[in-house]
Amino acid sequence: MRSVVRLTGAPGLAAFGGTAHTRADREQFRLTLAMSRLNGLTVAHAHHTAVAVLRPGDNFGRPRRCVRLLIMLAGAATLSAGGRSVRIETGGGALLHGWEEYLYESTGNVTRVHLDVDVEGTAFADALHDVPTLAWRANCPVLHAAGAAFAEIVRRDERGISPAARSSLEHLAQAVLLSVLAFPPSGGVPAPVQRRSRVRVLEHIATRHSDPDLCPATVAAELGMSTRSLQRLFAGSDQSVAEHITAARLKHALALLADPHLIDMSLDRIACRTGFGSLARMRRVVHTATGLSPTEYRRQRLAPDDDLGVGPGRTRAATPASGQGRGHISPL
């Protein structure tokens, strides 16, 4: 669930792992960071004063290779790596490799959002494979819209939100990222044609998987390509087009089955709502993925937990964290 961190003054700056150019900036340092963790994604909204932070190439603290889409909502910052620097202003942003060291610097107040995503995650492996570092300097309409969406995702991830609603927020974050990747910055490093086409396909699946008629043939037709060309795009990748469609439907179905607010929703309706079209098909896919039938999976996920007081109709909610310079965080 969403967590909130607040750091102030020189102790907060030290806990953040940052530096400031002047004594006044150190003493007046302020950071408010709200983060939502949605399975393999982390969406964050931050406001901070002047700061400089050296990112060590630790994949933003994640265990596997990770990329970050950073968007400036207000203010500006400079990103420096490999002897080159680029200034990112309001409405601009960057796609950054978590395994590469870079310096982030701002000389004034900044409001920004970012999305961290595992490069090796199933839903993104084909879209993010060999993706280059990208930079949109300022006033990109796509990034303006994406930034507003990420900020709203964090705001809406409130205590007590249902698993189905959180799954929808996750799908929205995925779709926003894929939309941004489909339109790289002009004058930047162009993405290979094959990768851009894969991104378009994955974006289409993310938004259309609940249509029971969606299949490789309809995806190809709706995107204006032949089925053979579509299949060639994913040749040698971890998943075929059909498997990507099934994976999107499975993820959606498992979220609905685990939602205590939807305990009265029939399995047939869940199968239709998630694009499987029939209960028999959903049952086969769920059993293959989990070893359980949909009924057993629902019962297991909604079983009462006496120690935590969690049962049907209730969900676990994380307690927002806050601090005044305690510990060490480095979300930038």
Side-chain angles (χ1 to χ4, degrees), residues 57-135:
D58 64 350
N59 287 305
F60 310 112
R62 301 170 74 95
R64 298 193 295 182
R65 285 164 62 92
C66 175
V67 298
R68 168 171 290 179
L69 177 61
L70 180 152
I71 301 173
M72 290 289 170
L73 301 181
T78 300
L79 302 173
S80 304
R84 301 178 61 186
S85 297
V86 59
R87 183 173 174 81
I88 306 297
E89 300 181 345
T90 301
L95 186 75
L96 304 167
H97 294 163
W99 56 92
E100 295 178 351
E101 182 180 272
Y102 70 89
L103 178 66
Y104 173 97
E105 295 180 279
S106 71
T107 57
N109 293 342
V110 165
T111 302
R112 42 164 287 183
V113 293
H114 69 247
L115 172 71
D116 291 346
V117 57
D118 186 347
V119 171
E120 301 169 19
T122 301
F124 293 97
D126 289 316
L128 298 178
H129 181 64
D130 294 330
V131 64
T133 299
L134 302 171

Side-chain angles (χ1 to χ4, degrees), residues 6 10 20 22 25 46 63-64 74 86 168 177 199 208 250 281 314 331:
R6 295 182 178 87
T22 68
D25 285 343
R64 298 193 295 182
V86 59
S168 294
L177 173 62
V199 168
R208 292 287 313 282
L250 171 65
R281 186 179 179 193
R314 291 176 288 177

Side-chain angles (χ1 to χ4, degrees), residues 226-286:
S226 69
T227 302
R228 185 175 180 181
S229 296
L230 176 64
Q231 301 292 10
R232 278 202 302 264
L233 277 178
F234 290 83
S237 63
D238 293 337
Q239 288 185 307
S240 66
V241 177
E243 288 170 335
H244 274 292
I245 295 171
T246 299
R249 289 169 174 164
L250 171 65
K251 191 172 187 179
H252 193 180
L254 294 181
L256 298 187
L257 289 169
D259 193 335
H261 298 90
L262 302 178
I263 193 169
D264 294 327
M265 180 179 286
S266 70
L267 297 182
D268 285 304
R269 186 177 176 190
I270 290 177
C272 291
R273 185 169 171 178
T274 55
F276 281 109
S278 73
L279 176 56
R281 186 179 179 193
M282 184 178 77
R283 183 181 290 115
R284 287 195 301 271
V285 174
V286 170

